[in-house]
């Protein structure tokens, strides 16, 4: 995973053709090895998608950062796609399809929780567009203009 991150993070438009070729071969080899390793772990039962423990979630989130090219992906996600050939990219996508699907679901749940927490802190309901202070009758602080006229 670290090698694959390096492959797309250290990409530059000014790289020589030799460096681009090295990065491409390295990214393709590392992704093939990674997919093979995950397949072997799944066959042995040491990497269980059903278990969904913290380590599995972290690995799947890292895979999602590298291989996600869905519409809901952050713009920095899936940049590895431009580093390797379409054949290897598609093979990795097929091999990791289930892990990426689960990681997307986890990301959606995490984002929804963050939105709810942020809404609770800010006093706004994400569902109704209602200010929580107004809905429970908490007085709003006075602006300077209102404070000066109320004296």
């Amino acid at each position: 995973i670290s090698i694959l991150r390096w492959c797309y993070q250290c990409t530059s438009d000014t790289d020589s053709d030799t460096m681009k070729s090295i990065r491409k071969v390295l990214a393709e080899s590392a992704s093939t090895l990674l997919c093979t390793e995950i397949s072997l772990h799944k066959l042995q039962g040491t990497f269980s998608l059903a278990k969904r423990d913290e380590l599995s979630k972290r690995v799947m989130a890292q895979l999602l950062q590298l291989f996600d090219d869905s519409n809901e992906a952050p713009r920095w996600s899936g940049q590895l796609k431009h580093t390797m050939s379409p054949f290897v990219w598609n093979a990795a996508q097929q091999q990791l399809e289930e892990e990426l699907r689960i990681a997307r679901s986890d990301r959606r749940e995490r984002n929804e929780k963050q939105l709810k927490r942020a809404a609770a802190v800010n006093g706004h309901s994400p569902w109704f567009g209602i200010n929580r202070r107004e809905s429970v009758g908490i007085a709003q602080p006075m602006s300077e203009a209102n404070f000066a006229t109320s004296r």
Side-chain angles (χ1 to χ4, degrees):
I1 289 176
S2 296
I3 291 171
L4 291 171
R5 280 198 178 137
W6 177 86
C7 285
Y8 80 82
Q9 287 176 346
C10 295
T11 301
S12 173
D13 293 335
T14 60
D15 285 345
S16 67
D17 288 340
T18 304
M19 190 61 189
K20 289 177 183 176
S21 295
I22 291 171
R23 191 175 294 112
K24 179 182 177 185
V25 169
L26 186 59
E28 290 175 350
S29 300
S31 63
T32 303
L33 182 62
L34 178 64
C35 290
T36 303
E37 184 178 358
I38 289 174
S39 294
L40 291 173
H41 279 287
K42 287 192 316 191
L43 286 172
Q44 292 175 342
T46 56
F47 184 76
S48 173
L49 296 175
K51 198 164 54 167
R52 308 267 303 260
D53 62 352
E54 197 57 39
L55 177 62
S56 297
K57 284 183 178 183
R58 267 189 293 181
V59 169
M60 286 189 285
Q62 290 177 16
L63 292 173
L64 190 62
Q65 287 177 345
L66 293 169
F67 293 101
D68 189 20
D69 65 349
S70 66
N71 293 336
E72 62 189 48
R75 71 177 165 79
W76 46 263
S77 194
Q79 293 297 315
L80 192 59
K81 179 179 187 174
H82 307 292
T83 309
M84 62 179 68
S85 73
F87 176 77
V88 176
W89 175 260
N90 291 333
Q93 288 282 307
Q94 289 175 352
Q95 185 73 33
L96 300 172
E97 183 177 3
E98 191 173 3
E99 290 83 0
L100 296 175
R101 183 184 51 76
I102 291 171
R104 281 186 200 104
S105 173
D106 289 345
R107 181 177 58 198
R108 266 187 241 108
E109 288 175 18
R110 194 171 48 252
N111 288 344
E112 287 173 8
K113 285 179 185 177
Q114 287 174 348
L115 281 173
K116 287 178 186 177
R117 249 182 286 159
V121 169
N122 294 330
H124 294 280
S125 170
W127 299 279
F128 305 110
I130 299 172
N131 186 318
R132 189 177 75 200
R133 290 180 179 191
E134 293 171 1
S135 66
V136 291
I138 298 173
Q140 297 291 322
M142 296 180 90
S143 68
E144 288 184 34
N146 289 342
F147 180 73
T149 59
S150 67
R151 284 189 189 177

